[in-house]
Amino acid sequence: MLETFFSTYISSTIRFLFLLAPFFVVTMFLALTRGLPAAEKSSIIRRASVSAFVLGVILFFAGPLLFSAIGITLNSFRIGAGSLLFLTAISLVNSGTRNHATGLPDEDRDDIAVVPLAIPVMIGPATIGAILVYGAELKTVAEVTGGLLGLVSGLLILAVLLHLSGYLEKALGKTGLNIMSKISGLILSAMAAEIVLTGIAGFIAST
């Protein structure tokens, strides 16, 4: 049981961290908070992380209920979510940005922590689909616990990177952050392919 927990935890942490596209989020955070005092930036990071966590937990457990409610199978959703994730991966590889969150909001906002930082920059449509799939795939208590803690760990690592965003910008520069986003896109494309192929194999086996 412990072996299952730790293996699920480690793999889930890596999966969720790349799903969050951390270097793209850092780039957007820097653009959205340019000129703000450090205390306000820390407050934004905290509120955005909590918002993303709450949404992530809801999605993590909502998969089976959602699939049964709308009458689709997990394999069908795997194919759809994987395809959407693949489009996001292509966008990251081509331009270093997610296809659903490429620009800043046109109007001034009193609070950017939830929108657009938590949604859709941290958790966008493709990430939502992937979390629904991963949550529905985990069956035992050890797997669910490891997966949930993996989500928490991924968000904590992202929060740390956001706190260090100023240092990352100085060390890597905009070009360096863009390159790291492209590398994340390559890994996301492999994850997307795995989700789609698993869905296809499961669909064929069931028919």
Side-chain angles (χ1 to χ4, degrees), residues 13-193:
T13 300
I14 296 171
R15 280 180 172 182
F16 285 124
L17 182 59
F18 281 103
L19 276 174
L20 293 168
F23 293 99
F24 166 70
V25 176
V26 167
T27 301
M28 292 296 290
F29 174 76
L30 288 168
L32 288 165
T33 61
R34 190 79 64 189
L36 294 180
E40 189 171 351
K41 288 184 179 181
S42 297
S43 176
I44 290 172
I45 293 171
R46 183 171 57 254
R47 284 178 283 129
S49 298
V50 170
S51 300
F53 168 74
V54 171
L55 177 59
V57 170
I58 292 173
L59 293 170
F60 188 83
F61 291 106
L65 295 175
L66 177 63
F67 300 154
S68 61
I70 60 180
I72 61 174
T73 64
L74 175 58
N75 288 320
S76 298
F77 201 85
R78 279 180 177 138
I79 296 171
S83 300
L84 187 59
L85 186 61
F86 191 74
L87 293 176
T88 295
I90 291 175
S91 180
L92 281 170
V93 171
N94 286 337
S95 60
T97 60
R98 293 190 182 193
N99 51 5
H100 62 271
T102 55
L104 302 179
D106 294 330
E107 73 278 7
D108 293 331
R109 294 179 182 272
D110 294 330
D111 186 7
I112 62 171
V114 179
V115 179
L117 190 55
I119 306 166
V121 174
M122 286 184 177
I123 299 184
T127 310
I128 289 173
I131 293 175
L132 286 169
V133 168
Y134 285 141
E137 287 178 340
L138 305 177
K139 303 299 181 183
T140 66
V141 174
E143 289 176 337
V144 172
T145 304
L148 187 58
L149 288 178
L151 173 61
V152 174
S153 296
L155 286 169
L156 285 175
I157 294 172
L158 177 58
V160 171
L161 291 176
L162 289 177
H163 278 291
L164 299 174
S165 58
Y167 299 103
L168 290 174
E169 186 179 31
K170 291 178 182 177
L172 300 176
K174 292 183 179 180
T175 302
L177 289 172
N178 191 43
I179 291 172
M180 295 302 295
S181 291
K182 290 174 182 288
I183 294 173
S184 299
L186 287 172
I187 297 173
L188 270 184
S189 66
M191 293 170 59

